Amino acid sequence: MINLPKVTDLEVGGKKVLLRLDLDIDPDPDELRIKTSEETLNYLKEKGAAIIILAHRGRPEGKIDESLSLKSFQPIFTKWEAKVEENLRFDSGEETNDPEFTRRLAEKGDVYINEAFGNSHRQHASIVGLPKLLPHAAGFRFVEEVNNLSKVFDNPKRPVLFIVGGSKKDKLDYIENLKFIADKILVGGRLPDYLQDTRYSILDTKIIVANLLPDKEDMTINSIEKFEEEIGKAGTIVLAGPMGKYEDKGHRQGTERIFKAVANSNAFKITGGGDSLSVISIYNLKNKFDWVSVGGGAMLEFLAKRTLPGIEALLC
């Protein structure tokens, strides 16, 4: 069990608190990544802290892009009397973890709290730099993420099944390490198409790769049935990403059947990532999962490596 420093361990009363959130989303107060930060926000306000929110949005590549401004988020956080700083990525120093940029950020506050689990796989200034300069802790949700995801590798109910989909090729990089946790790994979405790249060699008896339809936007019925069979046997399931182009109603069959099969299974089940959250919202499945992570890539990296750069920074 990772023993993270907690926000309750810090003296925050009357202090300026730099609170790192994940706002790489639309400014919707009901969005999960905002809702899950409320416990930490409530605690800080009750303690009389001055809350300064740090976040990024999109990929402005170190340049000011008003379409990616965080100004539209300010009304959402007014009830906590919090101030939302501008998009961190408007300065290239955020992504390069530049010491001078980090120092300027640190000067804005007295204490640092990370409540951006979904960004904590990145070696960025606001994730790994600030904890070196300020008293620091994990937010309430961050601690819950680590504790719940750790159940996948700390004495899990077996068989352990990973279902990895979506369209981001870098998900394949995690599979080699996931093989040490998983009893079976199912690969769907657009990922089977990327396996033609010889850099990826994931052939293993533990791995089942879906066959795709000719347009590559969904999986075949035969593959759906194979995946459903494995889901029925599993004791623990991690579902990371859709099985096709679910945004198109004509290509939802694989995603709908696999997500519903997982949701209705008796396994301990986890899902996470932006597209997965969209799918469970479409089919109203959120309450059927034991844990819904706010991280996609961060969730997989944590499960593959059992830590993240943002976690290591908080433990220093």
Side-chain angles (χ1 to χ4, degrees):
M1 181 67 72
I2 299 173
N3 189 22
L4 285 166
K6 301 174 178 62
V7 62
T8 50
D9 299 330
L10 290 176
E11 177 53 59
V12 297
K15 300 288 182 68
K16 291 184 290 184
V17 176
L18 299 182
L19 177 62
R20 180 57 160 100
L21 297 184
D22 180 0
L23 300 182
D24 195 13
I25 50 177
D26 292 328
D28 177 358
D30 293 322
E31 220 283 347
L32 184 65
R33 279 169 277 189
I34 293 176
K35 296 294 288 183
T36 54
S37 69
E38 291 185 358
E39 185 178 3
T40 296
L41 286 160
N42 289 337
Y43 177 82
L44 293 175
K45 184 181 180 185
E46 288 166 7
K47 292 293 182 179
I51 306 168
I52 301 165
I53 294 173
L54 304 179
H56 79 270
R57 192 181 187 201
R59 299 179 183 274
E61 300 181 350
K63 299 171 185 173
I64 295 174
D65 179 345
E66 287 300 325
S67 70
L68 297 175
S69 172
L70 297 183
K71 292 174 185 175
S72 56
F73 286 87
Q74 186 59 63
I76 294 173
F77 296 100
T78 299
K79 64 180 178 180
W80 291 285
E81 300 172 13
K83 177 188 176 185
V84 181
E85 290 285 309
E86 192 46 280
N87 191 335
L88 292 169
R89 290 188 181 176
F90 283 177
D91 191 306
S92 60
E94 164 65 0
E95 293 186 82
T96 60
N97 191 21
D98 177 69
E100 177 58 25
F101 175 74
T102 308
R103 184 189 62 77
R104 293 200 307 269
L105 281 182
E107 288 176 349
K108 297 176 184 286
D110 305 308
V111 170
Y112 168 81
I113 295 171
N114 189 345
E115 192 62 293
F117 177 84
N119 299 140
S120 290
H121 56 318
R122 299 188 171 104
Q123 298 270 3
H124 292 176
S126 64
I127 299 295
V128 301
L130 283 175
K132 296 177 181 177
L133 303 179
L134 295 172
H136 52 269
F140 290 108
R141 174 68 182 204
F142 195 114
V143 172
E144 283 189 276
E145 286 277 359
V146 170
N147 289 345
N148 278 283
L149 293 177
S150 295
K151 294 175 183 177
V152 176
F153 50 74
D154 284 342
N155 194 30
K157 181 182 176 185
R158 292 197 177 273
V160 175
L161 175 68
F162 278 80
I163 308 172
V164 185
S167 59
K168 293 181 179 178
K169 185 183 288 189
D170 60 3
K171 285 186 174 180
L172 293 171
D173 296 328
Y174 299 121
I175 288 179
E176 189 63 35
N177 284 332
L178 292 177
K179 286 193 294 188
F180 295 104
I181 308 170
D183 296 291
K184 273 286 194 307
I185 301 174
L186 311 182
V187 181
R190 183 53 70 91
L191 303 185
D193 188 43
Y194 301 147
L195 292 176
Q196 297 176 39
D197 186 332
T198 55
R199 288 188 303 117
Y200 298 107
S201 178
I202 65 169
L203 294 178
D204 189 285
T205 54
K206 289 184 175 182
I207 297 172
I208 299 175
V209 179
N211 292 317
L212 302 183
L213 296 176
D215 64 6
K216 301 177 183 177
E217 303 290 11
D218 204 351
M219 56 201 293
T220 65
I221 291 292
N222 180 258
S223 289
I224 292 172
E225 291 173 348
K226 282 184 181 178
F227 278 30
E228 288 173 333
E229 182 180 351
E230 294 298 331
I231 289 166
K233 301 174 189 174
T236 299
I237 303 173
V238 178
L239 175 54
M243 297 296 106
K245 191 177 180 181
Y246 71 95
E247 303 95 324
D248 178 354
K249 290 184 179 180
H251 292 101
R252 281 185 179 176
Q253 183 172 221
T255 298
E256 179 178 1
R257 283 182 57 171
I258 298 311
F259 269 74
K260 286 184 175 179
V262 173
N264 293 319
S265 76
N266 293 320
F268 173 76
K269 41 199 177 280
I270 288 173
T271 191
D275 284 322
S276 295
L277 299 182
S278 296
V279 173
I280 64 174
S281 176
I282 290 170
Y283 297 113
N284 196 27
L285 301 175
K286 181 175 181 291
N287 293 334
K288 293 196 171 187
F289 283 83
D290 296 283
W291 185 249
V292 177
S293 176
V294 295
M299 176 184 76
L300 282 178
E301 183 165 329
F302 175 73
L303 292 172
K305 299 180 179 179
R306 306 194 182 196
T307 190
L308 294 171
I311 291 174
E312 293 302 304
L314 292 174
L315 292 173
C316 291

